[in-house]
Amino acid sequence: MTPRQHSAQDDSFVRNLRSIAGKRHVLTAPSATYRFRKGYRFGLGDVLAVVQPGTLIELWRTVKACVESGRIIIVQASNTGLTGGSTPDGNDYDRDIVIISTSRLKGIHLIGDGRQVVCLPGATLNRLEEVLAEKGREPHSVIGSSCIGASVLGGVSNNSGGALMRRGPAFTEMALFGQVGADGTLRLVNHLGIALGDDPETILHRVEAGHFPEAGIDWNAGRGHDSDYAHHVRDIDAETPARYNADPRHWHEAAGCAGKLVVFAVRLDTFPAERDTAVFYIGSDAPDAIEGIRRGILGTFEKLPIAGEYIHREAFDIAETYGKDTFAVIRYFGTKHLPALFAAKSRFDILTARFPFLPSGLSDRLLQAASRVLPKQIPARMSAFRDRFEHHLILKVSHDMRDQTEAFLKDHFSRADGDYFACTPDEGTRAFLHRFAVAGAAVRYRAVHPRTAEDIVALDVALRRNDRDWVETLPPEIGGKLSARLYYGHFFCHVMHQDYVVRKGFDAMEIEHAMLRLLDRRGARYPAEHNVGHLYHAPDEMKAHYRALDPCNCLNPGIGRSTKRAQWRAESVEAA
């Protein structure tokens, strides 16, 4: 669809937006809006405007103006999603789109001396981690997506997962959100469990100011995380996966809404920070030996480990080469500056994309060249295990589980193929940094090898909890079209990330569809934690959930390959 010319009504509407948020915070030029309407990995489309409100009241008034004028609203926080769920997908919408960027709304308010937190739309996981560290506590997710500046609300809205197996997907039953009803009216719903009055703008002002009198806080208002997950993941003989985005267990208003509500704040539980933890590095050539550790610990230990992360040897090698700079930056400087570095890289990529004579992926090529001068980051004992074993497991446990875990591993490997060692603190830190570096290694590999790499197929897959045959075996007609395969994941949850670099000349989408058919036959579910975005077809139950939240289909339409048209009209029906 060719973008239509702006009308006088459009100009009047944009002037109204500027009167709400200020002229400098309403962007209309394509060059100015590009970084908002271009997804982190996927997605691009035209928009009428991008608005960056500076207060919750400005956000409310902006949403109200868009609803009353019949515009589509896409609410965006950090734009770090991997499936295009916070950007337009093409130009075949039946109404103009306004992206509302909430990145200026960064408020974080601790309540109950830090036992819980109220986060505004632009609050990032990285900043929340810093705030809670002062209280000796931590958020639902640490490292991983927090490093690239992902938002707290983005995680909740998409039931994002994480490496910490005791906590499950991001979830809450307590939120403050705007909902557009079937009558087309925007309403503010306060389910935060905090008494804030009745007038919408009064409520929003008090939330932004963190004005929460103790007497107005209901400590029994709802769950601030999935408190049942620790029991759920232990059911190792269940036919279903432990966690995946289309699981209705984790849909509750803002949680799992995927942008079909305008979320102004969420209330979440926090967790005591673990001290003096123990990390064990495990290697084996036998998948059964690795699975036996998972089943043995989940099935017999009284307490769950903190994390159990898997890396295949090929992913180990590719990350050592193509994730070396990421590893080094975090190791030497911590995660604090990483979101800014990712943002600077994104701006550089946008700038250089304007010059067709420059090679694609220039920032990745420059960073890869620079990484060659860095010293080796992998500890010697890890490198030795890489040479000995195909499958690697990094197991992190609480201090009080150290002896029990070591005794279990010693007994296990007296009968099973493989070995382990107890990490020093430095080795443990570097083991998890290496695991994190895997996540971006395929992207770097593709950028550095444009002549041989066509594209990437990136899947996050939830295997059945009782699935002992967890190692993927691809048929030759698929495997022969790949130049690299990266297998890694949250092993105790049976959530696997599977990144494939497709050889030049082959159709990545065709390969992906073939892989999904194989996963269907295995009883796996996907996506596991990145949500459907515009890449995956949402199952019917998920589409019904979205329709119930947004009966007018004016918020983030098209998610899950659903219709983009108003009132959920079929795509074959002409727009009015």
Side-chain angles (χ1 to χ4, degrees):
M1 179 182 291
T2 302
R4 67 172 179 81
Q5 296 297 314
H6 289 181
S7 66
Q9 288 84 355
D10 294 333
D11 294 337
S12 175
F13 173 67
V14 169
R15 285 196 297 271
N16 186 28
L17 295 179
R18 286 174 171 157
S19 72
I20 294 170
K23 184 176 181 179
R24 63 177 295 198
H25 298 300
V26 179
L27 313 175
T28 58
S31 59
T33 62
Y34 182 82
R35 67 187 179 96
F36 298 94
R37 54 192 179 86
K38 173 72 169 64
Y40 184 72
R41 276 194 186 174
F42 174 85
L44 176 66
D46 294 322
V47 300
L48 177 61
V50 172
V51 186
Q52 300 172 285
T55 68
L56 291 183
I57 290 176
E58 287 182 6
L59 173 57
W60 169 258
R61 292 174 180 175
T62 299
V63 173
K64 193 171 182 181
C66 292
V67 170
E68 290 174 351
S69 67
R71 264 72 180 194
I72 286 171
I73 301 167
I74 298 177
V75 180
Q76 180 186 99
S78 301
N79 194 15
T80 58
L82 302 182
T83 57
S86 59
T87 58
D89 176 39
N91 294 321
D92 56 344
Y93 294 82
D94 60 344
R95 294 150 289 166
D96 287 327
I97 298 171
V98 175
I99 292 177
I100 303 178
S101 170
T102 62
S103 58
R104 298 175 65 205
L105 306 172
K106 300 181 182 297
I108 295 172
H109 304 298
L110 303 185
I111 58 176
D113 198 32
R115 288 185 293 113
Q116 289 189 334
V117 62
V118 175
C119 292
L120 303 193
T124 65
L125 285 166
N126 183 269
R127 178 57 185 155
L128 178 58
E129 188 176 346
E130 292 176 344
V131 170
L132 290 175
E134 298 175 4
K135 293 285 187 179
R137 302 186 71 84
E138 60 187 22
H140 169 271
S141 298
V142 296
I143 206 166
S145 59
S146 64
C147 291
I148 58 174
S151 70
V152 176
L153 267 68
V156 172
S157 296
N158 291 295
N159 292 141
S160 299
L164 304 178
M165 74 177 73
R166 301 171 184 173
R167 300 176 191 177
F171 175 80
T172 187
E173 295 175 343
M174 298 173 286
L176 175 68
F177 57 90
Q179 184 171 30
V180 182
D183 60 355
T185 301
L186 174 67
R187 297 176 177 84
L188 186 67
V189 180
N190 179 15
H191 286 169
L192 275 177
I194 303 174
L196 297 164
D198 299 313
D199 173 66
E201 294 200 358
T202 299
I203 292 171
L204 294 169
H205 174 74
R206 289 174 175 170
V207 168
E208 187 154 18
H211 182 60
F212 308 138
E214 181 66 29
I217 301 176
D218 179 1
W219 292 103
N220 298 302
R223 294 185 297 163
H225 79 288
D226 180 7
S227 53
D228 297 328
Y229 185 76
H231 173 75
H232 181 75
V233 75
R234 287 182 182 275
D235 190 356
I236 54 178
D237 293 317
E239 289 279 346
T240 56
R243 55 181 170 94
Y244 56 99
N245 289 129
D247 186 352
R249 293 177 63 251
H250 296 120
W251 300 340
H252 185 87
E253 299 175 343
C257 73
K260 304 301 281 184
L261 299 172
V262 180
V263 185
F264 291 88
V266 293
R267 178 177 165 188
L268 301 163
D269 293 333
T270 70
F271 306 87
E274 295 277 358
R275 305 297 184 196
D276 194 23
T277 57
V279 176
F280 297 91
Y281 200 89
I282 299 162
S284 178
D285 285 329
D288 284 348
I290 300 295
E291 179 63 19
I293 294 172
R294 173 183 169 271
R295 295 182 65 86
I297 289 178
L298 290 180
T300 65
F301 277 36
E302 181 178 347
K303 190 174 180 179
L304 286 177
I306 298 169
E309 295 295 287
Y310 169 76
I311 308 177
H312 185 268
R313 177 189 277 154
E314 186 173 2
F316 184 109
D317 291 346
I318 292 175
E320 184 172 17
T321 300
Y322 299 98
K324 188 179 183 182
D325 53 321
T326 300
F327 185 124
V329 167
I330 301 175
R331 181 185 173 199
Y332 297 133
F333 303 106
T335 62
K336 181 177 181 180
H337 303 293
L338 210 57
L341 293 175
F342 271 101
K345 179 180 180 296
S346 177
R347 288 192 292 270
F348 180 84
D349 288 339
I350 291 170
L351 175 64
T352 56
R354 299 177 185 176
F355 303 97
F357 58 86
L358 292 176
S360 62
L362 181 58
S363 64
D364 281 297
R365 298 191 196 194
L366 293 173
L367 289 169
Q368 186 60 31
S371 72
R372 296 192 184 103
V373 304
L374 292 171
K376 184 178 177 65
Q377 301 295 312
I378 306 297
R381 290 202 289 179
M382 281 176 58
S383 293
F385 264 48
R386 177 259 168 237
D387 295 338
R388 293 174 60 191
F389 302 116
E390 179 180 3
H391 305 287
H392 297 238
L393 183 65
I394 310 165
L395 182 60
K396 185 176 185 179
V397 300
S398 302
H399 175 74
D400 58 359
M401 295 177 63
R402 181 193 306 263
D403 292 343
Q404 180 189 16
T405 303
E406 184 149 26
F408 171 86
L409 293 174
K410 184 176 181 179
D411 177 69
H412 181 74
F413 286 118
S414 70
R415 295 172 280 104
D417 169 73
D419 200 356
Y420 77 95
F421 64 86
C423 295
T424 66
D426 179 64
E427 286 174 328
T429 297
R430 288 205 260 175
F432 276 97
L433 286 181
H434 186 53
R435 159 61 185 87
F436 169 69
V438 178
V443 175
R444 175 67 60 78
Y445 183 101
R446 176 186 60 180
V448 174
H449 299 284
R451 295 181 180 179
T452 58
E454 181 69 34
D455 205 347
I456 295 172
V457 173
L459 304 176
D460 58 302
V461 178
L463 304 177
R464 292 173 290 130
R465 282 170 282 174
N466 67 345
D467 194 348
R468 295 174 183 265
D469 188 20
W470 57 274
V471 175
E472 179 177 71
T473 302
L474 292 174
E477 60 268 25
I478 296 179
K481 299 174 181 177
L482 307 175
S483 57
R485 313 176 197 185
L486 289 79
Y487 294 107
Y488 56 103
H490 315 305
F491 190 69
F492 280 68
C493 301
H494 256 193
V495 168
M496 302 297 293
H497 295 287
Q498 301 176 180
D499 296 345
Y500 311 89
V501 181
V502 178
R503 291 183 185 278
K504 201 72 174 179
F506 292 104
D507 187 331
M509 190 62 68
E510 179 183 306
I511 292 172
E512 178 175 347
H513 289 164
M515 289 176 171
L516 295 181
R517 288 192 291 270
L518 294 175
L519 291 170
D520 290 339
R521 290 199 286 270
R522 294 175 63 190
R525 299 296 297 265
Y526 50 84
E529 54 187 16
H530 293 156
N531 217 346
V532 290
H534 288 291
L535 284 182
Y536 296 93
H537 287 273
D540 290 343
E541 189 174 16
M542 197 176 213
K543 289 180 182 178
H545 166 64
Y546 293 155
R547 187 164 186 163
L549 293 178
D550 177 23
C552 295
N553 204 25
C554 61
L555 291 159
N556 216 8
I559 288 296
R561 294 293 190 183
S562 60
T563 178
K564 298 175 180 177
R565 299 194 180 279
Q567 308 299 328
W568 294 87
R569 290 194 297 269
E571 295 289 340
S572 59
V573 178
E574 289 297 323

